Amino acid sequence: MYFALEPALMRIFGTPELMIKTASWQQDINAGYRKTAVAPEYRSTRDERLGDDGIRKGDLRERMQPELFAILTIRYDDNQANRSDAWLRVNHIFRADEQVPKAIRKNPVLVRLYLMAALQLPELKNKRGKITITGKSRTTLFRWDKACATVADEWSRKAEDQACELLESADVIAYDNIQST
């Protein structure tokens, strides 16, 4: 079900695009025009994501619940400033969730470290460093990781379901109903 949703959301929220990394693209932008002769999934620039397909990031922001849109921003956006702003809007959700271990829930730094890392897509995670917590056993850290991953999966699933409904209604994505004979 999510095979068409994830690429659409990644395009809306701005995954690193291949054409932006080329020197010729920078020259075209500086000269006042741009080329769009690239693979169809990378045809948009940062300012015009999915414009041809009928929906933009602002449309999702207006139509979705603010908390769920913030979760999508944390999950799919590659801009750390946007992710930090979105975290401020959803911090209360995770601090009140009883599934998150109490030691993490009561510590804002741990909540942010564990849940922002658990929410973001693995291919967008920064490989600079890993969370290291001293003074706790491996079993405790494993339990914390597992509990936070469960909560993050539940909330990201809710956000993706609502985004999926909006994208389907805007005809950005469509699913083929294949019936077995």
Side-chain angles (χ1 to χ4, degrees):
M1 177 175 168
Y2 287 100
F3 290 125
L5 176 67
E6 241 177 51
L9 287 173
M10 290 174 83
R11 284 173 53 209
I12 290 171
F13 283 94
T15 58
E17 296 172 351
L18 296 178
M19 69 180 208
I20 288 178
K21 297 183 184 208
T22 63
S24 64
W25 185 86
Q26 296 293 335
Q27 289 173 346
D28 294 339
I29 291 300
N30 293 335
Y33 65 93
R34 68 180 177 87
K35 292 180 181 176
T36 57
V38 292
E41 62 267 15
Y42 297 111
R43 74 170 162 239
S44 60
T45 64
R46 291 231 183 263
D47 297 329
E48 303 174 19
R49 292 186 204 104
L50 281 186
D52 297 338
D53 298 323
I55 198 163
R56 298 175 194 267
K57 192 174 178 179
D59 296 333
L60 281 180
R61 185 183 305 114
E62 291 169 9
R63 296 180 192 170
M64 289 183 70
Q65 293 176 16
E67 292 87 5
L68 296 182
F69 180 78
I71 288 171
L72 285 183
T73 302
I74 293 169
R75 186 159 175 79
Y76 290 98
D77 206 333
D78 59 345
N79 185 342
Q80 184 60 32
N82 292 347
R83 295 180 69 234
S84 297
D85 290 343
W87 178 255
L88 295 176
R89 290 190 295 272
V90 296
N91 189 10
H92 65 282
I93 291 175
F94 296 107
R95 293 189 67 181
D97 196 325
E98 295 290 327
Q99 296 177 42
V100 178
K102 188 175 181 181
I104 295 177
R105 250 185 301 144
K106 301 301 179 194
N107 187 336
V109 175
L110 283 180
V111 169
R112 184 183 174 111
L113 283 176
Y114 271 90
L115 287 161
M116 274 187 78
L119 279 171
Q120 194 171 26
L121 286 176
E123 55 265 22
L124 293 179
K125 285 184 184 169
N126 204 350
K127 296 181 174 60
R128 272 187 283 180
K130 203 173 177 184
I131 301 169
T132 55
I133 298 173
T134 58
K136 298 291 179 186
S137 69
R138 278 195 219 167
T139 309
T140 302
L141 295 177
F142 177 76
R143 278 198 331 259
W144 286 2
D145 285 338
K146 195 170 179 181
C148 289
T150 303
V151 171
D153 287 345
E154 285 178 17
W155 280 101
S156 59
R157 182 62 58 140
K158 287 179 188 176
E160 287 173 347
D161 286 345
Q162 189 174 18
C164 186
E165 291 171 9
L166 292 173
L167 291 172
E168 280 181 345
S169 66
D171 292 332
V172 174
I173 57 175
Y175 299 110
D176 296 329
N177 292 332
I178 302 172
Q179 297 178 357
S180 59
T181 56

